[in-house]
Amino acid sequence: AEPETVARGVEAMRAAVKIPVTVKHRIGVDDLRGYENLAHFVRIVSQAGCDRFIVHARIALLKGLSPRENRTVPPLQYELVYRLKEDFPELIIELNGGVRSLPEIRDHLRYVDGVMLGRAAYENPYLFAAVDQHFYGAVHRPPTRREIVEAMIPYVREWREKDLYPNKIFRHMFGLFAFQRGTRQWKRFLSENAHKPGTTEDLLEEAMQPLPDDVLDARPELTPPEETLPS
């Protein structure tokens, strides 16, 4: 709603730090909607030195919708983000909002420079197991979920020895088996036991026991990348 204020903030941050300053924003807010308002915001803020914008393709309706509803209710308008890239080719434009699969990412990358995943990344982290192969031409095999859990065991041990409570790590692993047989058992076992005093990394081994081997040892299906992306 106040692009000049955002621009001054960008200028102040750029003067204070050496790392890039980026801006993440919606395509509009309340009555400030439509492409012209969106383009005006990006134009003003880019003139302050920001050259990377992460655009959530929903309007923010602060009057009438809760924060939770704002994540899903306003319709996605990807075409407005695509148009930004057309009109501001010198800027890095990344798209965000509602993206949940690697094929969707590839479709969007035909029009924008990058794609950001939010809730999907948290709810289904195994989605990223094949990203290197799909987009960057990596030749190594993606890890299985069993290999990921086994790799996490020494990681949890290392941090537990530094007095980090293991549940702070376990709770972010609930979605590892999303959409797979056994995901309910996995989530329930971790949620019921991870918070108990004396919990160690061995809990991960126990949590895997009831899960089917074909789920634990499956790898993502890979299709040859149409083109690799610059690293």
Side-chain angles (χ1 to χ4, degrees), residues 44-78:
I44 296 298
V45 177
S46 65
Q47 290 171 355
C50 178
D51 64 359
R52 190 173 195 133
F53 292 80
I54 301 96
V55 188
H56 187 132
R58 286 188 175 94
I59 193 170
L61 298 176
L62 305 182
K63 301 172 183 177
L65 290 184
S66 68
R68 181 183 181 88
E69 290 170 327
N70 260 298
R71 292 197 292 267
T72 57
V73 174
L76 289 158
Q77 300 181 64
Y78 295 133

Side-chain angles (χ1 to χ4, degrees), residues 1-230:
E2 300 178 19
E4 292 80 7
T5 301
V6 179
R8 290 199 300 271
V10 167
E11 289 176 341
M13 286 186 281
R14 291 188 72 241
V17 301
K18 296 180 180 180
I19 60 175
V21 176
T22 66
V23 172
K24 185 173 187 289
H25 60 95
R26 295 275 182 133
I27 57 173
V29 56
D30 293 329
D31 295 330
L32 291 172
R33 58 183 70 205
Y35 181 75
E36 293 309 317
N37 279 307
L38 172 61
H40 175 69
F41 174 85
V42 170
R43 185 178 299 109
I44 296 298
V45 177
S46 65
Q47 290 171 355
C50 178
D51 64 359
R52 190 173 195 133
F53 292 80
I54 301 96
V55 188
H56 187 132
R58 286 188 175 94
I59 193 170
L61 298 176
L62 305 182
K63 301 172 183 177
L65 290 184
S66 68
R68 181 183 181 88
E69 290 170 327
N70 260 298
R71 292 197 292 267
T72 57
V73 174
L76 289 158
Q77 300 181 64
Y78 295 133
E79 66 280 0
L80 297 186
V81 188
Y82 298 163
R83 186 175 171 185
L84 270 182
K85 181 59 186 176
E86 290 181 2
D87 292 348
F88 298 90
E90 73 282 5
L91 301 178
I92 299 172
I93 303 295
E94 298 184 31
L95 179 145
N96 173 242
V99 183
R100 292 188 167 274
S101 72
L102 300 189
E104 289 178 80
I105 293 173
R106 184 172 295 284
D107 288 344
H108 290 307
L109 288 175
R110 295 163 54 197
Y111 307 102
V112 294
D113 299 301
V115 177
M116 174 186 284
L117 272 66
R119 280 174 294 147
Y122 193 74
E123 295 168 358
N124 182 22
Y126 193 69
L127 178 68
F128 291 98
V131 162
D132 287 351
Q133 288 74 21
H134 273 276
F135 297 104
Y136 300 103
V139 296
H140 62 269
R141 294 196 305 172
T144 66
R145 290 177 176 83
R146 187 196 301 273
E147 290 169 344
I148 290 171
V149 174
E150 290 174 345
M152 289 297 293
I153 291 172
Y155 177 81
V156 175
R157 181 184 304 119
E158 175 186 351
W159 281 100
R160 183 172 57 81
E161 291 171 353
K162 296 177 182 178
D163 295 326
L164 180 75
Y165 190 39
N167 192 38
K168 293 184 179 294
I169 298 174
F170 293 150
R171 67 185 182 184
H172 301 299
M173 297 178 66
F174 282 10
L176 182 58
F177 292 88
F179 310 114
Q180 303 298 310
R181 297 189 341 272
T183 186
R184 288 184 180 179
Q185 295 98 310
W186 168 264
K187 289 180 179 179
R188 183 170 60 247
F189 188 89
L190 288 183
S191 64
E192 291 176 354
N193 295 282
H195 64 282
K196 294 179 179 178
T199 297
T200 70
E201 60 279 359
D202 295 335
L203 187 70
L204 293 178
E205 287 278 10
E206 296 179 50
M208 279 198 299
Q209 293 305 315
L211 301 182
D213 287 339
D214 63 316
V215 171
L216 287 167
D217 298 321
R219 298 183 192 273
E221 292 185 10
L222 297 180
T223 56
E226 298 171 13
E227 60 180 289
T228 56
L229 304 177

